[in-house]
Amino acid sequence: MGNQQYGIDTNALLHYAQEVKDALELKVQVAIVIGGGNIFRGLKGEKKGFDRVKGDQMGMLATVINSLALQSAFESQNVPSKVFTAIRMEPIGTLLAIDRVMEHLTNGTVCILAAGTGNPYFTTDTAAALRAIEIQADALLKGTRVDGIYSEDPEKNPHATKFRFLSFDEAYEKQLQVMDLTAFTMCKENTMPIIVFDITKKGNLKALLSGEAIGT
């Protein structure tokens, strides 16, 4: 969404594509799960009278639109990428199969995993946690507008305390809104590290992957 109120900001899109392209110089394998809140949020739709299941399905389709947009940005920068969808949508994307995703990752292709989990009542956070566990990722990186996890919302309270490290139990006890509880619990039970960082700052992704102290 970038600085817009709705939809896809081309500058933001190209920024994300460039960040990933720079990170690939480190010979890492990258899989991406994208939300769709810039187009439609199922939960907000429910509050306005939408059926929850239909709303979540609309949200899944919104993530596919964002995934195709990101793939297009990658193509413009000569970065090999492939869109996999959790629901059957050929020829828009390939139906998700983890062994095929792993094969493409090994070959240096950025895999964009769209349509959430393919089920209603699950957030994109949960989809990201599930996919990270399925592909045996080294870590789940959550890119946000904030440079880590704080004791309070730093956009509302400038005096909020930033945490450099947190255990899962500490984050739970302090009721910190890292991810939704389902995603968070999945990561804890499967020993999947979560790193929350500011994805909007140029060079942050590569610096983080290079070992710099970025985010939480």
Side-chain angles (χ1 to χ4, degrees):
M1 194 159 56
N3 295 318
Q4 300 179 164
Q5 298 300 311
Y6 174 83
I8 297 171
D9 182 297
T10 304
N11 291 329
L13 200 62
L14 292 173
H15 163 76
Y16 294 140
Q18 186 64 53
E19 286 294 288
V20 174
K21 181 179 182 180
D22 292 343
L24 291 174
E25 295 174 0
L26 301 174
K27 305 301 180 185
V28 294
Q29 297 174 2
V30 178
I32 301 172
V33 173
I34 308 177
N38 56 314
I39 298 170
F40 186 85
R41 287 188 183 276
L43 282 172
K44 286 189 176 180
E46 184 183 25
K47 292 176 182 177
K48 295 180 180 178
F50 278 86
D51 173 77
R52 173 64 190 268
V53 174
K54 289 288 189 294
D56 282 356
Q57 289 171 338
M58 292 167 71
M60 290 177 214
L61 296 178
T63 72
V64 176
I65 292 172
N66 282 341
S67 296
L68 293 173
L70 185 61
Q71 183 186 36
S72 181
F74 280 137
E75 288 174 350
S76 73
Q77 299 189 35
N78 299 313
V79 175
S81 62
K82 189 170 182 64
V83 173
F84 290 89
T85 60
I87 49 180
R88 191 173 290 282
M89 297 188 71
E90 295 90 349
I92 291 174
T94 301
L95 185 65
L96 183 117
I98 295 302
D99 56 345
R100 296 194 66 186
V101 172
M102 300 290 278
E103 181 181 336
H104 281 282
L105 289 173
T106 302
N107 292 334
T109 301
V110 175
C111 293
I112 308 170
L113 313 179
T117 66
N119 301 288
Y121 298 99
F122 290 94
T123 66
T124 311
D125 278 350
T126 300
L130 175 62
R131 302 306 176 213
I133 293 163
E134 286 183 314
I135 66 172
Q136 303 171 44
D138 294 302
L140 171 56
L141 312 184
K142 178 168 180 173
T144 72
R145 299 188 309 250
V146 184
D147 64 339
I149 301 170
Y150 284 76
S151 56
E152 299 176 60
D153 186 344
E155 293 182 346
K156 296 178 181 178
N157 180 6
H159 302 295
T161 303
K162 179 185 175 182
F163 300 102
R164 178 71 187 102
F165 296 99
L166 276 169
S167 69
F168 284 99
D169 289 338
E170 286 172 329
Y172 181 75
E173 288 166 5
K174 295 177 187 295
Q175 297 185 327
L176 302 174
Q177 301 298 311
V178 182
M179 287 179 154
D180 72 81
L181 199 54
T182 304
F184 196 69
T185 302
M186 285 181 66
C187 288
K188 178 184 177 181
E189 290 180 346
N190 291 276
T191 323
M192 176 60 63
I194 303 170
I195 302 174
V196 180
F197 74 108
D198 183 356
I199 188 67
T200 65
K201 184 177 179 181
K202 182 175 174 58
N204 246 15
L205 179 58
K206 185 176 182 180
L208 187 161
L209 293 170
S210 298
E212 292 187 28
I214 289 172
T216 301

